[in-house]
């Protein structure tokens, strides 16, 4: 989906920080695709998951003066997927992990 970056509810500073984090490239890592090429986060992805039904709901429709009810047997919930931030975090931590691995290998050689 697209975020309305011109909305009064959009925080441009937070959008820029999120874009910088998403576009972070660790030293020694090949170029990654940009998640926010405009310099601010302007889109989002929704991820679906099933939501537990705790009650008995039905959907009703009024057609020609008759009420038609259909029970709801399942529900799906959409939440923002923050994959781009997870990937940026992994890229940011990659140099630290490489150093730790090198230290472990050096200790094993001793």
């Amino acid at each position: 989906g697209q975020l309305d970056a011109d909305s009064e509810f959009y925080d441009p500073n937070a959008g820029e920080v999120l874009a910088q984090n998403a576009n972070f490239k660790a030293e020694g890592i090949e170029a990654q695709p940009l998640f926010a090429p405009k310099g601010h986060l302007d889109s989002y992805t929704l991820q679906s998951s099933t939501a537990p039904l705790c009650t008995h709901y039905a959907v009703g429709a009024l057609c020609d003066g008759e009420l038609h009810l259909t029970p709801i047997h399942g529900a799906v919930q959409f939440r923002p997927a923050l994959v781009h931030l997870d990937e940026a975090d992994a890229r940011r931590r990659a140099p630290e992990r490489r150093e730790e691995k090198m230290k472990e290998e050096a200790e094993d050689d001793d």
Side-chain angles (χ1 to χ4, degrees), residues 43-64:
S43 63
Y44 61 93
T45 303
L46 296 177
Q47 181 176 349
S48 65
S49 61
T50 56
L53 287 177
C54 301
T55 60
H56 300 285
Y57 283 111
V59 174
L62 193 56
C63 296
D64 298 326

Side-chain angles (χ1 to χ4, degrees), residues 10-27:
Y10 182 85
D11 183 350
N13 294 328
E16 289 175 15
V17 169
L18 288 170
Q20 289 170 359
N21 290 338
N23 291 334
F24 177 83
K25 291 176 185 59
E27 188 175 320

Side-chain angles (χ1 to χ4, degrees), residues 3 8 11 26-27 30 34 37-38 40-43 46 48 51 60-61 66 70 72 79-80 82-83 92 100 110:
L3 293 173
E8 65 181 287
D11 183 350
E27 188 175 320
E30 289 185 28
L34 295 177
K38 295 180 183 175
H40 63 273
L41 199 60
D42 61 352
S43 63
L46 296 177
S48 65
E66 295 179 350
T70 303
I72 296 176
R79 292 184 178 189
L82 303 175
V83 175
R92 185 180 298 104
E100 289 174 9
D110 292 338

